[in-house]
Amino acid sequence: MSDEAPGLASGFLRVLRRDLSIGCRSIGQWLNPLLFFVIVVSLFPLGVGPSPERLAAIAPGVLWVSALLAMLLSLDSLFEQDRADGVLDQFVLGRLPLSLIVLAKVLAHWTLSGLPLLVLSPLLAIMLGLPATALGTLVLALMSSTLILSLLGAIGAALTVGLNRSGVLLSLLILPMTVPVLIFGTGAVSASAEGYSAHAALLLLASMLMFALSLAPLAASAALRAGASAPDQS
Amino acid sequence: MTTEPAVLSCENISLWRGEAPIIENLSLSIGAGEVWRLEGENGSGKTTLLRILAGLVEIEEGIVRFRGKALPAARQALAEALLYIGHRPGVGGALDASENLDVAAAIAGDNVDKTRQAEILDTLGLSDKQQVPVAALSAGQRRRVALARLALEQRDVWLLDEPLTALDAKGLEWVREQIARQVSNGGTVVFTTHQPLDLPGLTLRSLVLTAPDPS
């Protein structure tokens, strides 16, 4: 108690590093969403036919919906293991602000399940026949969209932590909230593919990201606190 | 003359789960330097009471106070003083012992003291297990990793839920020493256990909880 407490940044980095190293040690956590993304995107040409014009037209929508679903796969486990280990109680009780811990966990989740999708998305976009001029917009818009989804997902994961089979409930809670992201994300890419400016849509996505970044950790930590009060279903 | 307010106190607290009462009209006052043992059958509400005292569970009636200030307003002050180790001890299986303690310190808002940490893990017989993921350790060793925090973090109030589960005689002796040290520093210990634990030289206060009659 006598020595000075460490800064918030060092606590934040330690939690971030913890989640990243746990994630890297289980291959499934980052490989499963990636494989899911690749497979779902690859199914579309088989389903709708290989006509290049049609594929190029639906490419943004296909990429977005597949990426959203791929990220949802890993979201329900965001707080689950911590709850089972009892670490979640320590999160709630510790001096490090809970919202900061949530933010660190969200960033770790995004790095493990969003970033790989982002890296692979230009390749899949080319496969679907999206013009190369739209690839820059695609990466920028998809980055904001996946970050927003991780943040929104944290609220859902915090609300459903400890419930049995929370995955479906989580999807039902989160997917309606992703509609704006879907509209502006695909809008940006379509505009850029047709040679128009994507600035407006990209800026709107960026402002949604800032909104989510500032409020989602607070909402998720409130949900976690309320959840700690619920009866224990071990 | 004003008396020092109790470290933790409950005034007529009640809590229900649906229709079933878990705790009914309980009052309790825990002072500095006191050791309390919560007793009672399974399901009598020991864990719930500890979680109420920690501020994790909100009660429906009554007041819980920390040093005279009511929770949840006193939550920040309590966080400064509290070390809570739950029935699930708060160690992550994929990480090894020292990584777990690093993270625990970060969450608690403490500095990480690597030398001290190595010393404690050595005393607990875990020095050769430092690189092993905690999931691969035995239940008793996992418990020891969690309990290492008793020696690492300086906190006034310890709330320990079944700290002795799966511990052997040496581990038990170590916990006994830690409790004695905590009390001699003027700290407070509240714990639950089903195992016999004698604390020579200390006054052990106990509270026997009984499951309230649902009728």
Side-chain angles (χ1 to χ4, degrees), chain A residues 99-120:
Chain A
S99 49
L100 204 64
I101 296 175
V102 170
L103 188 63
K105 288 187 73 71
V106 167
L107 283 183
H109 171 262
W110 179 80
T111 312
L112 289 167
S113 52
L115 192 59
L117 306 186
L118 198 62
V119 171
L120 213 65

Side-chain angles (χ1 to χ4, degrees), chain B residues 126-147:
Chain B
L126 293 165
S127 51
D128 55 337
K129 298 280 194 292
Q130 281 193 42
Q131 312 299 320
V132 182
V134 168
L137 299 179
S138 76
Q141 288 170 326
R142 270 204 296 273
R143 178 66 58 178
R144 283 169 185 232
V145 173
L147 290 174

Side-chain angles (χ1 to χ4, degrees), chain A residues 30-57:
Chain A
W30 56 269
L31 197 61
N32 287 356
L34 189 63
L35 288 177
F36 180 90
F37 181 58
V38 173
I39 291 171
V40 171
V41 171
S42 313
L43 287 178
F44 274 88
L46 304 175
V48 300
S51 144
E53 298 81 44
R54 195 186 295 165
L55 280 180

Side-chain angles (χ1 to χ4, degrees), chain B residues 106-178:
Chain B
I107 297 166
D110 287 355
N111 284 302
V112 177
D113 183 348
K114 278 291 185 192
T115 11
R116 180 99 181 101
Q117 196 186 83
E119 266 172 47
I120 305 292
L121 287 175
D122 195 36
T123 333
L124 285 166
L126 293 165
S127 51
D128 55 337
K129 298 280 194 292
Q130 281 193 42
Q131 312 299 320
V132 182
V134 168
L137 299 179
S138 76
Q141 288 170 326
R142 270 204 296 273
R143 178 66 58 178
R144 283 169 185 232
V145 173
L147 290 174
R149 294 178 54 209
L150 297 181
L152 284 168
E153 293 172 25
Q154 314 291 315
R155 291 291 191 279
D156 293 343
V157 182
W158 290 359
L159 300 178
L160 313 174
D161 196 0
E162 299 285 348
L164 309 177
T165 307
L167 281 189
D168 58 14
K170 261 174 91 181
L172 218 83
E173 183 53 40
W174 187 83
V175 173
R176 202 178 283 147
E177 282 168 22
Q178 297 307 310

Side-chain angles (χ1 to χ4, degrees), chain A residues 36 61 63-73 75 145 148-157 159-160 166-183 208:
Chain A
F36 180 90
L63 288 170
W64 249 258
V65 173
S66 311
L68 294 187
L69 294 179
M71 291 200 67
L72 270 180
L73 278 186
L75 262 177
S145 301
I148 293 170
L149 188 76
S150 277
L151 286 160
L152 289 178
I155 305 176
L159 283 169
T160 56
S166 59
V168 178
L169 183 58
L170 176 68
S171 309
L172 294 178
L173 282 172
I174 294 305
L175 284 176
M177 292 206 274
T178 61
V179 169
V181 175
L182 190 65
I183 291 172
M208 281 191 256

Side-chain angles (χ1 to χ4, degrees), chain A residues 2-84:
Chain A
S2 53
D3 51 351
E4 204 173 317
L8 295 181
S10 83
F12 174 82
L13 288 176
R14 226 170 250 285
V15 176
L16 180 67
R17 211 162 61 205
R18 162 188 186 266
D19 270 40
L20 287 176
S21 61
I22 291 177
C24 291
R25 280 171 216 188
S26 75
I27 291 177
Q29 196 174 351
W30 56 269
L31 197 61
N32 287 356
L34 189 63
L35 288 177
F36 180 90
F37 181 58
V38 173
I39 291 171
V40 171
V41 171
S42 313
L43 287 178
F44 274 88
L46 304 175
V48 300
S51 144
E53 298 81 44
R54 195 186 295 165
L55 280 180
I58 63 166
V62 168
L63 288 170
W64 249 258
V65 173
S66 311
L68 294 187
L69 294 179
M71 291 200 67
L72 270 180
L73 278 186
S74 52
L75 262 177
D76 62 331
S77 60
L78 188 59
F79 299 111
E80 200 46 54
Q81 191 58 47
D82 292 336
R83 188 198 65 89

Side-chain angles (χ1 to χ4, degrees), chain B residues 4-192:
Chain B
E4 186 97 342
V7 175
L8 277 168
S9 64
C10 303
E11 294 160 25
N12 300 316
I13 60 166
S14 301
L15 181 74
W16 290 267
R17 290 287 182 226
E19 295 289 299
I22 303 289
I23 287 174
E24 246 181 344
N25 240 345
L26 178 89
S27 293
L28 175 67
S29 174
I30 299 169
E34 293 182 0
V35 186
W36 282 79
R37 173 178 178 161
L38 307 181
E39 293 172 52
E41 298 161 12
N42 293 344
S44 57
K46 300 187 296 291
T47 294
T48 308
L49 181 57
L50 271 185
R51 291 176 70 84
I52 290 173
L53 291 174
L56 281 168
V57 171
E58 282 189 36
I59 43 167
E60 280 147 353
E61 273 177 22
I63 303 176
V64 180
R65 287 179 198 279
F66 170 67
R67 296 208 170 116
K69 269 176 73 185
L71 286 179
R75 199 166 63 196
Q76 198 53 42
L78 182 59
E80 300 282 332
L82 178 70
L83 175 56
Y84 168 85
I85 299 181
H87 188 57
R88 286 174 293 190
V91 289
L95 301 174
D96 65 38
S98 70
E99 285 172 316
N100 262 300
L101 292 175
D102 288 354
V103 173
I107 297 166
D110 287 355
N111 284 302
V112 177
D113 183 348
K114 278 291 185 192
T115 11
R116 180 99 181 101
Q117 196 186 83
E119 266 172 47
I120 305 292
L121 287 175
D122 195 36
T123 333
L124 285 166
L126 293 165
S127 51
D128 55 337
K129 298 280 194 292
Q130 281 193 42
Q131 312 299 320
V132 182
V134 168
L137 299 179
S138 76
Q141 288 170 326
R142 270 204 296 273
R143 178 66 58 178
R144 283 169 185 232
V145 173
L147 290 174
R149 294 178 54 209
L150 297 181
L152 284 168
E153 293 172 25
Q154 314 291 315
R155 291 291 191 279
D156 293 343
V157 182
W158 290 359
L159 300 178
L160 313 174
D161 196 0
E162 299 285 348
L164 309 177
T165 307
L167 281 189
D168 58 14
K170 261 174 91 181
L172 218 83
E173 183 53 40
W174 187 83
V175 173
R176 202 178 283 147
E177 282 168 22
Q178 297 307 310
I179 293 179
R181 184 181 58 82
Q182 170 78 349
V183 171
S184 69
N185 291 342
T188 302
V189 182
V190 183
F191 67 100
T192 69

